[in-house]
Amino acid sequence: MEKIISIQGMSCAGCAKSLEDTVNKLIGIDKANVNFANETLYVQYNEKLNLDDLFNVIEKLGFKYLEQNNIKEVIISIGGMSCAGCAKGLEKEIIKIDGVEKIEVNFATEKAKIIYNNKIRLSSIKNKIQDMGFKILEENIEEKENFKEKEIKIMFKKVILSAIFGVPLLFISMAPMIKGLNKLVPNIINININNNPFNYALIQLILTIPIMIIGKKFYINGFKLFFKGKPNMDSLIAISTTAAFLYSLYNTINIYKGDLHFAHSLYYETVGIIIVLILLGKYLETISKGKTSDAIKKLMGLAPKYATIINDGQEEKIAIDEVLINDIVIAKPGERIAVDGIVIEGETYIDEAMLTGESIPVYKQKDSRVFAGSINKNGYIKFKATKTSKDTALANIIKIVEDAQATKAPIAKIADVVSGYFVPVVCVIAFVTSIIWLFATKDLEFSLKIFVSVLVIACPCALGLATPTAIMVGTGKGAENGILIKSGEALETAYKLDTIILDKTGTITEGKPIVTDIICENIDEIEFLSLVASAEKMSEHPLGEAIVKDATNKNIQFYENIQHFEAKIGFGIQAIINNKNIVIGNKKFLNSLNINLSNMEEKFINLANEGKTPMYVAIDNEIKGIIAVADPIKENSKQAIEKLSNMGLNIFMITGDNKKTAQAIANQVNIKNVFAEVLPIDKANYVEQLKNEGKKVAMVGDGINDAPALAKSDLGIAIGSGTDIAIESANVVLIKNDLIGVYNAIKLSKKTIINIKQNLFWAFIYNIIGIPIACGILYIFGGPLLNPMIGAMAMSLSSISVLLNALRLRKFK
């Protein structure tokens, strides 16, 4: 029996080791492994184990536990978040719910990744989110896109409508003070003409109220959250503009009473233009945020909506969701492949650029694999569906990218912490600064200007957008180029790498051995190969398969009269064919049979030194030749390893091959560090060894035996043609079977993390410089006082600049 248990509270690898050692000592435990990275305890146990004892041990060591089959994970799309403060506030509230294990709310993607257990229903979590004033969007791409488009249209209308009132408001308020423009102001509202100041104030009030109604969301959300003790960006706008409006309204009443000098103390235009500028900034921000997810939209757009299948001998067009495994699907020239499958008839070239980033079409014939979303260029093919629409390679790519975009990189933690405290601190700064200025100047109007300026220039949005927008663009760009990065953490880890371990077989090499040399003496080569291949046909060894394939390709006839066959594991094989005793194997095996190898020994050594695997062949106890097999190096391996080395990375090769063969391969691709003769089970130990030396290690592999090492490394990179287990264990998946992808993945991660750092720098520096200026620091030294309208414009531009900087990653090649 086995069980996976989620462990909480482990602070280091030492905790994990202590827990593992203690659990292994329990009666009934056959095996226990603790994975510190994903915080799980895996146990194999028998009926002697008392499960209560196991859970008591976990608790006594100070950890919390949860059986993994009770844990659920969901990603929810959320509409209505106006700033990073909303996202942080949402996290703080939802994590309080009993049963919610973890929540990450991504303001840029408007998604929440929630891990919860069976103490709570998902519907209750959703209800709580809605109670906080947000909208739950169904995981339907069309609905989400419709919501986005509708939101953009509504915001555009709000910008236009507010500008219709805002532009005249600004003109009426400012023109009388500007020489030349004052003549354009109608006399009835001209402040410079006696008895008209009230009209001047009243028309501004009339123009301001519709703008405030258009921006009512700021006031509804802002004040609601403010009085709940969770103020956000809307709260800053609501408080500042309400204060300026009430002050202006008070002065309007005084003007009505006859005190005309109050006409110079109106801030209606400040209120109106701040809202217009904030709405404009939000509109542009929404459009820019939409562009950051263009890659995922493109991928989703690749999935066909219909498929043509053969039903009772007739072509039938059906919805893609109705295609079943083993259905016979047709792909005509120019059409997209509907689902993943295997070609059963026809041949063609297929453009798989959407999967691999490789622009050259791939030739497909019978038994070739085809993938949903790829384009059939010129042939007519039939293929058998092997995956339904929700399980295709394209669907998995989309899911991996969506999951990655819902996560945060560790570098985002500082911004999250700051965002959580940002708005309350800004409110305090604005209040305290305005009070200080009021006491210093005895000028209520001046202190109000300071108060409004501080509130509107502060921008938590730029901080909240800095990390997730770059991750969205970076992971999306990676997917376009056949690089699937599973999380923001993986991106950041790739940036920090200093060591890479490359599995040899299938990673550096093709993973498909071929016959390279046939050397024979005193026997015809065709006869020699026929006897060897006939014997090896009985073997299941990969080297034997290569010999059989080579003989088949050369149309060599196989002997059917095989009287005896025996495999000697680790040595070779022995067979009797056509009354001839055939022995194929290594030196130790043939020496044990007293077969003289002297005339072939030098050739054998030379082949081994070239990185090939030579095998002696003896017939009737007499050496007749050597057949050598090698796993060829991939075309781009040497170039990729050179590029990785030039990045300053230490490159290691790990293989189960003998040292001589391993070193020969390493020499060909310029790798200096080699771990040879390593058993599959021990690969993870070598990863651990390098990590213990303080190195940041990536493991690159493609096979089942690489999975433990991939999981143990700081960053696991799976070659996409590898097994599902290897891909599942990895943090990064390369769809194209090429080591250049490793270089590209690390290069992309470096570009993305640098972009995030730039974004964080500008977001912090903007607030660090902007808020003191709004507080009047320059004014103290004889400089200008910040106009609140300029502050509002700067605040909008700060978010847009962060988004535009993130969008630069779209140019990555």
Side-chain angles (χ1 to χ4, degrees):
M1 293 177 284
E2 59 183 21
K3 191 179 284 290
I4 298 175
I5 303 166
S6 179
I7 305 293
Q8 294 179 333
M10 294 189 293
S11 58
C12 66
C15 297
K17 188 75 171 81
S18 174
L19 177 61
E20 186 175 290
D21 290 345
T22 307
V23 171
N24 270 315
K25 291 175 184 175
L26 289 174
I27 295 171
I29 291 287
D30 297 323
K31 183 181 179 183
N33 285 325
V34 178
N35 188 319
F36 174 56
N38 60 19
E39 299 180 310
T40 56
L41 165 64
Y42 168 79
V43 289
Q44 287 182 354
Y45 62 99
N46 54 52
E47 64 280 352
K48 293 180 182 177
L49 175 70
N50 184 333
L51 283 173
D52 289 337
D53 290 344
L54 173 63
F55 296 134
N56 287 338
V57 161
I58 295 169
E59 286 182 333
K60 281 179 182 177
L61 288 171
F63 306 120
K64 292 182 180 179
Y65 66 87
L66 197 71
E67 292 183 60
Q68 210 162 69
N69 56 4
N70 291 330
I71 297 175
K72 297 169 187 171
E73 182 179 303
V74 67
I75 295 176
I76 300 173
S77 293
I78 298 174
M81 292 190 290
S82 60
C83 72
C86 295
K88 196 63 185 171
L90 195 56
E91 283 184 348
K92 285 181 178 178
E93 285 301 301
I94 300 302
I95 198 66
K96 292 177 185 175
I97 299 173
D98 187 27
V100 174
E101 299 288 322
K102 186 179 180 183
I103 177 170
E104 285 186 353
V105 180
N106 191 317
F107 169 53
T109 59
E110 298 181 311
K111 288 182 180 179
K113 183 177 183 179
I114 304 170
I115 298 173
Y116 63 102
N117 59 47
N118 56 4
K119 292 180 184 177
I120 185 77
R121 292 182 184 274
L122 180 59
S123 57
S124 300
I125 299 171
K126 287 183 174 180
N127 289 339
K128 178 65 176 177
I129 293 170
Q130 288 171 325
D131 289 344
M132 293 179 70
F134 304 109
K135 180 177 172 64
I136 300 291
L137 304 178
E138 294 302 319
E139 288 302 306
N140 178 302
I141 185 63
E142 288 185 10
E143 182 178 337
K144 286 191 279 186
E145 284 303 306
N146 290 339
F147 178 82
K148 272 286 177 196
E149 288 175 14
K150 188 177 177 183
E151 186 182 33
I152 289 171
K153 285 177 183 176
I154 290 171
M155 290 189 72
F156 180 71
K157 286 179 183 176
K158 285 183 177 182
V159 170
I160 296 300
L161 281 172
S162 63
I164 288 170
F165 293 100
V167 172
L169 172 62
L170 183 64
F171 177 77
I172 289 165
S173 65
M174 303 302 292
M177 289 78 164
I178 301 171
K179 193 173 181 180
L181 287 181
N182 57 354
K183 295 176 183 178
L184 300 176
V185 180
N187 288 339
I188 194 170
I189 56 172
N190 196 324
I191 192 174
N192 300 315
I193 298 175
N194 288 338
N195 300 322
N196 283 353
F198 178 69
N199 294 342
Y200 171 76
L202 185 62
I203 190 67
Q204 288 187 63
L205 173 62
I206 291 169
L207 289 168
T208 302
I209 288 172
I211 298 174
M212 294 179 77
I213 292 171
I214 292 165
K216 65 182 179 181
K217 184 184 171 187
F218 296 132
Y219 299 97
I220 295 169
N221 289 347
F223 282 122
K224 183 170 78 174
L225 289 169
F226 179 78
F227 290 120
K228 281 186 174 181
K230 300 177 183 69
N232 67 347
M233 192 202 78
D234 291 347
S235 305
L236 298 180
I237 296 164
I239 294 166
S240 60
T241 55
T242 300
F245 178 79
L246 292 176
Y247 179 70
S248 301
L249 187 63
Y250 168 76
N251 288 340
T252 301
I253 294 168
N254 285 331
I255 294 168
Y256 176 74
K257 289 178 179 178
D259 202 340
L260 303 184
H261 82 273
F262 278 101
H264 294 285
S265 299
L266 300 173
Y267 284 92
Y268 289 122
E269 86 285 355
T270 299
V271 175
I273 297 304
I274 283 174
I275 293 173
V276 172
L277 289 171
I278 298 297
L279 285 171
L280 176 62
K282 283 289 170 190
Y283 169 68
L284 295 173
E285 184 183 303
T286 304
I287 292 173
S288 298
K289 277 164 70 178
K291 288 182 180 177
T292 61
S293 59
D294 275 353
I296 198 81
K297 289 178 193 168
K298 282 181 192 173
L299 287 170
M300 287 173 169
L302 294 174
K305 289 184 170 54
Y306 298 95
T308 303
I309 66 167
I310 300 293
N311 189 9
D312 292 330
Q314 301 294 317
E315 291 186 12
E316 181 183 348
K317 192 173 183 179
I318 62 172
I320 197 74
D321 291 339
E322 293 180 30
V323 177
L324 303 175
I325 292 173
N326 292 329
D327 274 350
I328 305 303
V329 186
I330 288 172
K332 297 174 183 177
E335 289 184 344
R336 286 195 182 276
I337 301 298
V339 292
D340 292 3
I342 295 176
V343 177
I344 59 171
E345 185 181 315
E347 55 185 38
T348 187
Y349 280 90
I350 289 183
D351 181 355
E352 294 181 346
M354 40 68 70
L355 278 174
T356 64
E358 180 59 62
S359 58
I360 300 171
V362 181
Y363 176 67
K364 302 289 182 178
Q365 58 184 341
K366 189 179 178 184
D367 296 331
S368 296
R369 294 175 67 192
V370 293
F371 302 97
S374 57
I375 301 170
N376 182 22
K377 299 297 284 184
N378 53 13
Y380 175 96
I381 57 170
K382 292 180 183 178
F383 62 93
K384 184 184 287 187
T386 56
K387 297 280 179 70
T388 58
S389 60
K390 292 181 180 177
D391 298 319
T392 62
L394 178 62
N396 285 329
I397 289 170
I398 292 168
K399 186 179 185 307
I400 287 171
V401 176
E402 283 188 316
D403 286 351
Q405 294 182 349
T407 64
K408 295 179 181 178
I411 196 172
K413 286 179 182 175
I414 184 169
D416 284 350
V417 172
V418 172
S419 295
Y421 296 101
F422 187 86
V423 175
V425 168
V426 167
C427 289
V428 171
I429 290 172
F431 181 76
V432 170
T433 306
S434 60
I435 293 296
I436 291 170
W437 277 110
L438 181 61
F439 279 107
T441 62
K442 311 297 183 192
D443 187 340
L444 179 61
E445 189 176 325
F446 184 90
S447 66
L448 177 68
K449 200 170 184 178
I450 294 288
F451 180 74
V452 174
S453 295
V454 172
L455 291 179
V456 298
I457 199 170
C459 185
C461 295
L463 284 170
L465 290 168
T467 303
T469 48
I471 289 174
M472 284 175 73
V473 182
T475 52
K477 195 66 187 175
E480 285 180 15
N481 289 277
I483 301 164
L484 302 183
I485 300 165
K486 290 187 177 179
S487 67
E489 186 175 358
L491 259 177
E492 188 168 340
T493 302
Y495 171 79
K496 296 175 179 176
L497 291 174
D498 55 33
T499 302
I500 294 185
I501 302 176
L502 302 173
D503 176 54
K504 181 183 78 70
T505 307
T507 303
I508 295 174
T509 65
E510 294 287 355
K512 298 170 184 173
I514 59 171
V515 174
T516 57
D517 299 87
I518 298 174
I519 300 169
C520 54
E521 290 182 357
N522 303 319
I523 187 172
D524 178 70
E525 186 175 313
I526 293 175
E527 171 69 5
F528 177 78
L529 185 55
S530 179
L531 287 167
V532 172
S534 298
E536 290 289 4
K537 197 173 183 181
M538 304 294 294
S539 168
E540 295 180 354
H541 196 282
L543 300 182
E545 288 177 13
I547 294 169
V548 172
K549 186 176 181 181
D550 185 66
T552 303
N553 291 340
K554 292 174 179 176
N555 295 316
I556 300 292
Q557 294 296 312
F558 290 86
Y559 284 99
E560 300 297 332
N561 184 21
I562 301 173
Q563 292 125 330
H564 172 76
F565 175 84
E566 186 178 359
K568 303 281 188 180
I569 296 172
F571 293 95
I573 62 171
Q574 194 167 8
I576 297 174
I577 301 173
N578 209 19
N579 295 318
K580 293 179 180 177
N581 185 23
I582 315 295
V583 177
I584 307 167
N586 58 27
K587 182 179 179 179
K588 190 179 288 186
F589 184 32
L590 273 77
N591 279 341
S592 70
L593 298 173
N594 297 316
I595 296 171
N596 183 8
L597 307 175
S598 57
N599 60 328
M600 288 282 180
E601 203 155 5
E602 187 179 344
K603 292 172 184 175
F604 186 95
I605 293 169
N606 290 338
L607 289 168
N609 288 337
E610 291 171 11
K612 299 169 183 175
T613 304
M615 292 165 277
Y616 287 114
V617 178
I619 300 174
D620 291 335
N621 293 321
E622 185 182 342
I623 190 71
K624 290 293 184 182
I626 297 172
I627 189 161
V629 175
D631 185 3
I633 293 169
K634 289 179 185 174
E635 184 182 354
N636 291 326
S637 289
K638 186 174 181 180
Q639 180 192 359
I641 289 163
E642 187 179 321
K643 284 176 174 284
L644 290 167
S645 297
N646 291 339
M647 272 185 169
L649 297 164
N650 295 312
I651 314 295
F652 288 76
M653 185 179 83
I654 193 164
T655 179
D657 265 356
N658 64 72
K659 290 180 180 178
K660 189 173 283 188
T661 303
Q663 194 58 57
I665 297 292
N667 291 341
Q668 289 178 56
V669 292
N670 295 328
I671 292 179
K672 296 182 175 64
N673 307 299
V674 180
F675 296 131
E677 299 176 9
V678 178
L679 295 173
I681 199 169
D682 291 330
K683 285 185 179 181
N685 296 335
Y686 283 90
V687 172
E688 189 71 22
Q689 176 185 315
L690 290 172
K691 285 174 68 177
N692 290 339
E693 292 173 12
K695 292 180 169 63
K696 206 75 173 173
V697 182
M699 171 70 195
V700 184
D702 77 324
I704 291 174
N705 57 25
D706 297 324
L710 289 168
K712 182 75 77 174
S713 62
D714 294 301
L715 187 78
I717 302 177
I719 298 288
S721 61
T723 65
D724 289 341
I725 294 173
I727 290 169
E728 189 66 31
S729 305
N731 311 104
V732 177
V733 177
L734 306 177
I735 296 173
K736 193 177 176 187
N737 194 2
D738 193 331
L739 274 182
I740 287 289
V742 178
Y743 168 76
N744 287 333
I746 295 171
K747 186 180 174 186
L748 176 62
S749 77
K750 288 183 181 293
K751 293 259 186 196
T752 306
I753 298 300
I754 288 169
N755 191 281
I756 288 171
K757 289 182 175 181
Q758 290 169 346
N759 285 347
L760 287 172
F761 171 80
W762 289 114
F764 276 113
I765 209 73
Y766 163 81
N767 286 294
I768 289 167
I769 294 173
I771 293 173
I773 290 174
C775 288
I777 194 79
L778 296 180
Y779 187 78
I780 294 172
F781 299 101
L785 192 66
L786 182 73
N787 187 304
M789 288 184 284
I790 301 297
M793 184 185 294
M795 189 261 245
S796 295
L797 288 174
S798 68
S799 295
I800 294 165
S801 65
V802 163
L803 283 161
L804 292 176
N805 188 47
L807 288 171
R808 288 192 308 113
L809 286 168
R810 293 166 74 185
K811 297 178 181 177
F812 174 83
K813 293 181 181 178

